[in-house]
Amino acid sequence: MRIVSGAVRVAFFLIIGKLAGAIKEMAIAHRYGVSDVVDAYQFTQSMANWLPTTIVGAFSVVLIPVLVKLRHLGREEKNKFVAELQAWIFFIGILIMCFTWFVWPWVIEYTSGKLSETAKSYTNEMIGVFALTALLILLIGVNMARLRALERHINNLLDSLPALFIFAWVILSPNDVSIWPILWGTLSGYLLQTILLWYLADKAEGERFIFPKWQFQSEHWSMLVQAAGFMLIGQIALSFVAPMDQIFVAQIGNNANATMGYATRLVAVIIGIGAASVGRAALPVLADVQYRGDAYQAKVMALKWSLAMVGLGVFFLVIAWYLAPFIVKIVFERGAFTAQDTIAVAEALRYGLMQVPFYFGVLILVQLLASQNRYKLMAGIALINFAVKFLMNYLLAPHYGIQGIMLATAAMYLCSFICYFIVAWRLPLQPSATHSSV
């Protein structure tokens, strides 16, 4: 029931957040349509944010079980670790921000494919803002993990702030078809999200402010760094999926980046509301069950939820497949977004939806293995998934274009679900994640 109640709260906040994302996409579609500006936005966002997103993905999975454990060990021990964590994440963010800005000319030269010269010039203007958001994404990720460890899910609502600010800047800048409404909205939204999450995480833990400390005195670093190292291997592999898709779709040309971007965002709405609500609610619950030594209950709970989520995903797939043209028309078709654009995006959306059942099913199994500290296995599965995705992209993209890239993603998640289900079902139980080996 804790997972159900947590999932309901997460779903409520996610629905609001995804609605914000939807109105942002509607505003962009109305103002820019399928154009060089949107091509540049999709490309720059995916390529510039992949590294911080990778680090957040790896650390959030391994960090939540550590934070759950610290809840049982006292305030002083917890504050020492959090202060050191905040400091080093800030330092890493500064390094990534500078690195991203420095290497961007080479990124454009070697990965932009058939992007138009206009789109390439836009990406060079955009990179300053997106390099800064790399730092903000890392700080957001840490404080989101702190709130999730306490089973507080308000962070899912705050995810909508960048989208809301982009929407506001576009609406308040009538007839401005430059990149700046998108950039100012992105920057101001991420800044406010960072500040609010930091404040709310401190407040939820009963602290006024935890000052960062650049040191490694907490005894919990060894467990976190070892686990994060394995997770980072897998996350780095999977994090290349978004840039890899951008590289493959850039070879298609004809504003294919923009077309796939619109379809991908609609898929993300379904995934976000349906699966992420359960996945984000499950990890702190499963970690707590594991900590108390009831490994069998955690396993049974995860396997049942996984199969139920596959069924829910199939239900969503069937309905959304038939409604795809109507959804795209209602959401996007106005202003610069034409009826022809609707046909192209709807076709890409249909193939993108084929990943949904397997994504739904695998999310809670990922949380189960994370709560058991099985990070070596998770890294291995991630590498297999990346290999499947690359192979399918290579085989399908040249012949089927965007639809082939979307099918490759579905194949990757099918492989992931099969691997995780077999591992979760067949591996011997671990009595407690806090004493288990990786």
Side-chain angles (χ1 to χ4, degrees), residues 27-155:
I28 290 178
H30 181 271
R31 179 66 54 82
Y32 300 102
V34 176
S35 64
D36 289 329
V37 170
V38 182
D39 268 356
Y41 172 54
Q42 302 291 348
F43 182 85
T44 310
Q45 184 183 48
S46 296
M47 300 299 285
N49 288 350
W50 78 266
L51 185 55
T53 303
T54 299
I55 295 173
V56 167
F59 269 85
S60 62
V61 172
V62 300
L63 183 58
I64 290 174
V66 174
L67 293 172
V68 169
K69 178 182 177 181
L70 285 168
R71 279 163 44 190
H72 301 276
L73 298 180
R75 176 179 176 182
E76 183 178 348
E77 192 70 25
K78 180 263 297 178
N79 286 356
K80 180 196 294 186
F81 176 75
V82 170
E84 296 175 8
L85 177 67
Q86 297 274 31
W88 288 109
I89 285 294
F90 187 83
F91 177 73
I92 292 170
I94 293 292
L95 291 181
I96 292 175
M97 179 178 67
C98 297
F99 175 77
T100 302
W101 180 82
F102 179 75
V103 303
W104 193 249
W106 288 277
V107 173
I108 293 296
E109 182 177 354
Y110 294 108
T111 65
S112 59
K114 294 182 180 179
L115 281 180
S116 69
E117 291 302 317
T118 302
K120 290 178 184 179
S121 69
Y122 286 149
T123 66
N124 286 323
E125 295 181 62
M126 289 180 172
I127 192 56
V129 167
F130 280 102
L132 178 56
T133 61
L135 167 63
L136 302 179
I137 287 171
L138 290 178
L139 296 174
I140 287 168
V142 169
N143 290 299
M144 285 178 67
R146 293 170 63 192
L147 288 168
R148 287 177 60 193
L150 295 167
E151 298 182 44
R152 308 288 179 88
H153 303 293
I154 185 68
N155 57 280

Side-chain angles (χ1 to χ4, degrees), residues 180-200:
W180 292 106
I182 295 176
L183 290 185
W184 288 123
T186 299
L187 181 59
S188 53
Y190 273 115
L191 276 172
L192 183 58
Q193 185 184 6
T194 303
I195 294 168
L196 288 177
L197 280 174
W198 201 325
Y199 168 76
L200 290 172

Side-chain angles (χ1 to χ4, degrees), residues 333-348:
E333 192 178 311
R334 58 185 57 81
F337 197 99
T338 66
Q340 194 64 34
D341 296 330
T342 295
I343 295 172
V345 173
E347 190 68 13

Side-chain angles (χ1 to χ4, degrees), residues 67-345:
L67 293 172
V68 169
K69 178 182 177 181
L70 285 168
R71 279 163 44 190
H72 301 276
L73 298 180
R75 176 179 176 182
E76 183 178 348
E77 192 70 25
K78 180 263 297 178
N79 286 356
K80 180 196 294 186
F81 176 75
V82 170
E84 296 175 8
L85 177 67
Q86 297 274 31
W88 288 109
I89 285 294
F90 187 83
F91 177 73
I92 292 170
I94 293 292
L95 291 181
I96 292 175
M97 179 178 67
C98 297
F99 175 77
T100 302
W101 180 82
F102 179 75
V103 303
W104 193 249
W106 288 277
V107 173
I108 293 296
E109 182 177 354
Y110 294 108
T111 65
S112 59
K114 294 182 180 179
L115 281 180
S116 69
E117 291 302 317
T118 302
K120 290 178 184 179
S121 69
Y122 286 149
T123 66
N124 286 323
E125 295 181 62
M126 289 180 172
I127 192 56
V129 167
F130 280 102
L132 178 56
T133 61
L135 167 63
L136 302 179
I137 287 171
L138 290 178
L139 296 174
I140 287 168
V142 169
N143 290 299
M144 285 178 67
R146 293 170 63 192
L147 288 168
R148 287 177 60 193
L150 295 167
E151 298 182 44
R152 308 288 179 88
H153 303 293
I154 185 68
N155 57 280
N156 298 290
L157 178 61
L158 298 182
D159 276 346
S160 64
L161 286 176
L164 284 174
F165 273 77
I166 291 173
F167 170 77
W169 275 98
V170 170
I171 293 300
L172 295 174
S173 307
N175 302 319
D176 185 353
V177 293
S178 73
I179 62 173
W180 292 106
I182 295 176
L183 290 185
W184 288 123
T186 299
L187 181 59
S188 53
Y190 273 115
L191 276 172
L192 183 58
Q193 185 184 6
T194 303
I195 294 168
L196 288 177
L197 280 174
W198 201 325
Y199 168 76
L200 290 172
D202 284 346
K203 183 179 179 181
E205 293 175 350
E207 308 294 338
R208 292 189 64 183
F209 182 74
I210 300 177
F211 289 93
K213 296 180 180 178
W214 279 268
Q215 54 191 25
F216 282 108
Q217 293 186 359
S218 174
E219 63 184 37
H220 301 283
W221 277 109
S222 58
M223 178 174 66
L224 178 67
V225 171
Q226 181 187 23
F230 291 116
M231 276 301 297
L232 198 57
I233 294 171
Q235 283 296 125
I236 286 175
L238 289 181
S239 74
F240 275 110
V241 168
M244 178 175 66
D245 280 351
Q246 290 297 318
I247 293 170
F248 272 95
V249 79
Q251 309 305 316
I252 300 172
N254 297 321
N255 298 126
N257 293 76
T259 300
M260 191 174 78
Y262 285 123
T264 301
R265 278 167 166 71
L266 289 175
V267 173
V269 171
I270 297 174
I271 286 176
I273 294 174
S277 56
V278 175
R280 293 183 186 187
L283 181 53
V285 175
L286 292 173
D288 192 45
V289 172
Q290 285 286 149
Y291 184 84
R292 290 186 277 107
D294 200 346
Y296 180 75
Q297 181 187 355
K299 174 180 176 178
V300 171
M301 186 188 305
L303 290 175
K304 286 182 177 179
W305 269 96
S306 175
L307 292 176
M309 291 300 290
V310 171
L312 182 64
V314 172
F315 175 75
F316 271 114
L317 169 60
V318 172
I319 292 177
W321 181 280
Y322 287 103
L323 293 179
F326 178 75
I327 292 171
V328 175
K329 180 171 181 158
I330 290 296
V331 175
F332 295 133
E333 192 178 311
R334 58 185 57 81
F337 197 99
T338 66
Q340 194 64 34
D341 296 330
T342 295
I343 295 172
V345 173

